[in-house]
Amino acid sequence: MNFNQPTHPGYEQFTQELSSLISLYPPPFIYVNDVQSYRTTTSVIDDILEDLSERPPSLESPTKIYHARIDGVASSQWGLDREGDDGTRWNENLDSFLHGLRALHTQLCKLGVEVAAEGTESYEGICFVIVVKQAEILKDALLELMAPLPCLGEMAQLIICVVFISQVRRKDIKPPLGAAPEPYFMDIGSPTKEHIVKHLLSQFSTLSTTDASSSSQSITPYHPSLLPLYRHFTSVLCDVCFPFTHDPQDLAYIAVASWPGYAKPVLDEHRRYLAAKANEMDLDVDGELEDGEEEQERRRQDALALKPPGEDTRMRLTRLFNPSLSAALEVLLPRLSNAAEWAALNEPPPDLLAMPHGPPLRPVIPAAAAPSDITTGTANAPVGTNSALMTMGTLPRMARFLLVAAFLASMNPAKSDLRMFGRGLDEKKRKQRRQVARIKSKAAAKIPQRLLGPAPFPLDRLLAILGALLEENDAETRLPAPEFTIPGEYTDMEIARVGVLGLINQLTSMRLLFRTSPVDRLDGPPMYKCSVGYDSVLGLARGLKIPLNDLLWDPV
């Protein structure tokens, strides 16, 4: 890697600092924290270590660098999966792992002596760099390795640099009682919009290398002549997506899915131009036989050259594809679909620029991202402002009942529960909700709850409303249970399951429910709010065949 011209814009200072540390005097423990763009940082560290391991010896860097990620160390990348002299595997436990590192160091030292004798290289020592990706997983899966891993160099008496890469702060996964040494801490800041645009442009340059020498018959969206248009496209894409994600790889994934459709009208227009120009060239050649072959070849090359579109064409493409970029963000960022499927479904019609000016293109949502059982229309309805439907489409049936119950608990006053969900004398019909008389009064009118927003409700009230909904709308779908003879006994068993409480926590983590009471408060039940809108809940209620408007105290 040429550090003067980095392939990862925005990481210049980090690249220089980490390469200097490892090449000159590697610390035993480095902790790299990146909250926004973890995967990009991991690839940057891999490139740095790969470059350091291939550098020739010098006075500034006399140490030979060997690097591997922790999965490669434990497998066969360094040969630590083989057996030692006593028959034990070197990756079986921590002690055998240390013996394996020492044996590997001895083997590499012998190899270095042989190489030095030949006069090709001369190193003063060997440095092992072990990279641990997603170090926060060790706290839950391998807690016993949190303390010894940073001390591998001290325990093995070798030059070992352990690098932890994590999205979690060090204090959150630090072993208690000072069991592990303090690391050299490196904090990666959030990439700016300019750095992300440069990162996307560098990927375009890589993909367009093969197109530079291709013929006009094989022009792709990554042709070098389309670089100005791609620069404009990345600027528009960052304006749409930057408030929601700062990860360059996420934005690159959305760009790969959206760019072929964005460039297709320009390529279609160029093909139409080539067809018309070919006819003109044939006529000119027939009428001017005195022209030489070189002049004909020059004219043909000029005609086949792809030219970047003008400002008017770029503005028209932006207006046509802006809704598609917003929809791609909502579908591709949570990986509800893949880039290939999105590009195939949202391919624009042929010769789009030759058509009269019309409204923006309507994005087509994959069926897996927009289930038809919770939408009010077709499965391919636009999702510009309704991404909650896509999230709720993967929820189980009980979770959907919970969301409807939470919405009713937030919108109905607590005193109306008996009237709205209680049964009459015939045990079949509920009492009708109150009829609001339209009487002119000088007193101030009460503001409906839907205008005030959702109100908090306790957990026991949510479970009570859930039981009423299950008893009224889910009894027909249950399996026969002759052991339950008392009415409502089966429903009481269902709402008392631990899985229901687990679903409430899951909905809270998905921000479909909002907990208003502190987690550590012991007095009183936990309080919640429903953060899902009326339209989304209405789609859920229709899928569950629940008359939502009949259960609202102030119907819409």
Side-chain angles (χ1 to χ4, degrees), residues 11 25 58 67 86 101 105 258 365 369 408 410 464:
Y11 285 86
Y25 188 79
S58 63
H67 69 94
D86 54 354
L101 287 176
H105 181 269
S258 304
I365 309 303
L408 293 173
S410 287

Side-chain angles (χ1 to χ4, degrees), residues 315-381:
M315 292 297 101
R316 185 180 178 186
L317 290 175
T318 301
R319 186 180 63 85
L320 289 173
F321 286 93
N322 246 348
S324 177
L325 295 179
S326 301
L329 170 68
E330 297 185 1
V331 174
L332 297 178
L333 183 59
R335 298 299 190 266
L336 300 177
S337 180
N338 57 75
E341 182 182 10
W342 177 267
L345 289 177
N346 289 273
E347 183 179 358
D351 299 329
L352 181 63
L353 295 179
M355 299 179 181
H357 289 260
L361 297 179
R362 180 180 177 181
V364 180
I365 309 303
S372 59
D373 59 338
I374 63 171
T375 54
T376 57
T378 61
N380 288 331

Side-chain angles (χ1 to χ4, degrees), residues 166-195:
S166 176
Q167 295 177 282
V168 181
R169 303 290 294 182
R170 170 64 177 168
K171 62 180 182 180
D172 296 330
I173 63 173
K174 182 179 180 180
L177 304 177
E182 289 298 323
Y184 183 92
F185 188 77
M186 303 182 71
D187 193 5
I188 307 298
S190 177
T192 62
K193 187 182 300 184
E194 291 76 14
H195 291 153

Side-chain angles (χ1 to χ4, degrees), residues 80-93 96-97 99-100 103:
L80 296 179
D81 59 338
R82 63 176 184 264
E83 296 182 355
D85 297 335
D86 54 354
T88 60
R89 299 182 65 86
W90 284 345
N91 60 355
E92 189 174 29
N93 51 49
S96 61
F97 182 69
H99 286 292

Side-chain angles (χ1 to χ4, degrees), residues 462-500:
L462 172 65
L463 296 178
I465 296 178
L466 174 65
L469 293 178
L470 292 175
E471 190 69 19
E472 290 288 337
N473 303 279
D474 193 55
E476 290 78 7
T477 62
R478 298 172 181 172
L479 297 176
E483 63 273 15
F484 299 106
T485 57
I486 304 176
E489 187 178 4
Y490 187 91
T491 302
D492 292 341
M493 180 198 67
E494 286 293 327
I495 63 176
R497 293 182 182 273
V498 179
V500 174

Side-chain angles (χ1 to χ4, degrees), residues 371-379 381 386 389 534-536 538-540 542:
S372 59
D373 59 338
I374 63 171
T375 54
T376 57
T378 61
N386 201 9
L389 285 179
Y534 171 77
D535 294 332
S536 301
L538 181 61
L540 291 176
R542 288 178 177 175

Side-chain angles (χ1 to χ4, degrees), residues 428-439:
K428 292 293 182 182
K429 297 181 180 180
R430 292 185 300 272
K431 297 182 180 180
Q432 297 294 327
R433 63 174 181 269
R434 65 184 178 94
Q435 300 293 332
V436 181
R438 299 180 179 272
I439 301 176

Side-chain angles (χ1 to χ4, degrees), residues 56-197:
S58 63
L59 294 177
E60 292 81 8
S61 179
T63 305
K64 179 63 177 177
I65 306 295
Y66 292 92
H67 69 94
R69 286 198 289 264
I70 192 65
D71 52 354
V73 171
S75 58
S76 59
Q77 184 170 346
W78 281 355
L80 296 179
D81 59 338
R82 63 176 184 264
E83 296 182 355
D85 297 335
D86 54 354
T88 60
R89 299 182 65 86
W90 284 345
N91 60 355
E92 189 174 29
N93 51 49
L94 184 60
D95 292 336
S96 61
F97 182 69
L98 294 176
H99 286 292
L101 287 176
R102 294 192 190 98
L104 179 62
H105 181 269
T106 303
Q107 178 182 354
L108 294 175
C109 286
K110 293 179 180 179
L111 180 61
V113 171
E114 296 176 359
V115 172
E118 297 176 1
T120 57
E121 294 181 350
S122 177
Y123 289 98
E124 295 180 359
I126 293 175
C127 175
F128 293 147
V129 181
I130 301 177
V131 181
V132 182
K133 296 174 56 178
Q134 294 182 326
E136 63 272 10
I137 299 180
L138 295 177
K139 184 178 180 181
D140 300 326
L142 298 170
L143 183 60
E144 64 276 6
L145 293 180
M146 288 293 293
L149 271 181
C151 305
L152 283 179
E154 180 182 355
M155 292 186 294
Q157 295 297 309
L158 302 173
I159 304 177
I160 299 177
C161 179
V162 180
V163 181
F164 277 14
I165 311 176
S166 176
Q167 295 177 282
V168 181
R169 303 290 294 182
R170 170 64 177 168
K171 62 180 182 180
D172 296 330
I173 63 173
K174 182 179 180 180
L177 304 177
E182 289 298 323
Y184 183 92
F185 188 77
M186 303 182 71
D187 193 5
I188 307 298
S190 177
T192 62
K193 187 182 300 184
E194 291 76 14
H195 291 153
I196 294 178
V197 171

